[in-house]
Amino acid sequence: MMQFYKKRDFGAFITDSFTFFKLYGKNYFKNYILLNGLLLILMVTIFIFGYRELFMQIFGSNMSGESYYFESYFEDNIGMFIVIGVITFLLFMTMMIVNYLFPIFYLKRLAQGETKIKTDDIFGDFKKNAGRIGKLLLGLIFIVTPISIIIIGISYALMLVIIGFFLLLLIFPVVINVINFLMFDYFNSNRGFFESLSYSIRSQFSYANNREGSPFWKYWGATIVILIILYVITTVFTMIPMIFFMLKITTMAPDGNFEQNPFAGSFGIIIFVMYGVSTLISFFLSNILYVNSGLMYYDSRRDFHQKVELEEIETIGINE
């Protein structure tokens, strides 16, 4: 059984993130699929058929020289676009809530000593915390997201000079850690939104006991390593459809039909199905980042470390 409330160094965050899935991966993803699987399938289905139709119209109008065809198509189907857009937004928001909060509730139960976690347990956590989830969403949408966009936007704009690249590389993992710490603390403590937000920022730079030094670089380093790993893996999967697309263009004898609309027919469906699968894989892989953030959060909770250590000492005498 993995110990969650303990001090970890940079290497332990990486190794323990993968050890977590070695120990709990089967049960974890079983519950994850049962809760989030249908939403993921619906999102990917909309992506495959919706975006395929959109790209077909764009390519078809451009290649045929009908400059206003796409505008006319959009105007004639404006109602459909609005309905699909609203449905997609609601599905996406629901999926992101489950995707972000599932690891938090799951790790919280493990940290409390549970070993066999069921889907009903996690679903019960969602229902019990419905009010707090609503407040968290409002805070994330209207407070955290705008501030994050401004900070990252300024860093991105500064990429015109060399310092911008390094600033973005420094700030982006910190923003991710602050948001993830905020959500972990909000559901693992009795703090309100702003108290958890304050803690998530402060905990990046210091422990509650300042004598222990700053955890900033090990948190930043662990996050950047996980991001690089996820980027490499997802890039491999997203490159596969592009490779098939380029091979099709370079090896097929030109007949005018494919060049006019490469996304029509079975080949277009295959391309977007492959992109859909790569999207699913990226959602599953993102759990590594969330677990890594959870381990960092538990590392920061030194108030619980002492409590766990005292409980372990008390059990020694009982077991003898």
Side-chain angles (χ1 to χ4, degrees), residues 128-279:
K128 184 174 65 176
N129 292 280
R132 289 177 67 82
I133 291 173
K135 294 176 183 177
L136 176 68
L137 278 178
L138 292 175
L140 288 174
I141 293 172
F142 295 106
I143 298 173
V144 176
T145 299
I147 294 174
S148 300
I149 291 174
I150 292 171
I151 294 173
I152 294 175
I154 293 173
S155 303
Y156 188 79
L158 289 174
M159 288 185 72
L160 294 172
V161 293
I162 298 176
I163 192 174
F165 173 78
F166 296 101
L167 191 62
L168 187 64
L169 188 65
L170 179 68
I171 290 176
F172 187 66
V174 177
V175 171
I176 290 176
N177 286 341
V178 168
I179 294 173
N180 288 338
F181 270 55
L182 163 63
M183 292 187 290
F184 269 97
D185 189 72
Y186 190 65
F187 293 104
N188 279 272
S189 69
N190 294 319
R191 298 186 179 105
F193 177 83
F194 289 102
E195 291 176 303
S196 291
L197 178 59
S198 174
Y199 175 80
S200 69
I201 296 172
R202 289 184 286 106
S203 60
Q204 301 303 309
F205 303 97
S206 64
Y207 288 114
N209 182 357
N210 292 323
R211 292 174 298 178
E212 295 185 77
S214 173
F216 177 83
W217 289 112
K218 69 177 184 179
Y219 289 173
W220 177 88
T223 301
I224 201 73
V225 168
I226 294 295
L227 286 173
I228 291 172
I229 292 173
L230 298 185
Y231 175 77
V232 171
I233 296 174
T234 53
T235 299
V236 171
F237 283 98
T238 53
M239 283 298 293
I240 292 174
M242 184 58 66
I243 292 172
F244 272 91
F245 184 75
M246 295 305 296
L247 286 174
K248 182 77 172 178
I249 291 177
T250 56
T251 59
M252 190 189 76
D255 60 359
N257 293 326
F258 179 78
E259 289 79 1
Q260 182 176 349
N261 198 337
F263 298 106
S266 59
F267 181 76
I269 295 176
I270 292 172
I271 289 293
F272 278 95
V273 166
M274 293 174 70
Y275 270 117
V277 171
S278 67
T279 303

Side-chain angles (χ1 to χ4, degrees), residues 16-72:
D16 284 359
S17 295
F18 290 97
T19 301
F20 172 88
F21 290 102
K22 182 179 179 180
L23 295 174
Y24 308 107
K26 184 177 180 180
N27 180 262
Y28 180 94
F29 283 115
K30 174 186 175 182
N31 289 301
Y32 178 80
I33 291 171
L34 288 173
L35 278 173
N36 209 26
L38 181 60
L39 293 172
L40 288 171
I41 292 171
L42 288 173
M43 279 296 299
V44 171
T45 302
I46 291 174
F47 171 83
I48 291 172
F49 293 101
Y51 277 85
R52 176 175 175 267
E53 178 67 18
L54 191 63
F55 274 93
M56 283 176 63
Q57 298 302 327
I58 293 173
F59 271 81
S61 60
N62 290 338
M63 296 300 293
S64 301
E66 300 169 350
S67 57
Y68 297 100
Y69 179 77
F70 180 71
E71 289 84 348
S72 176

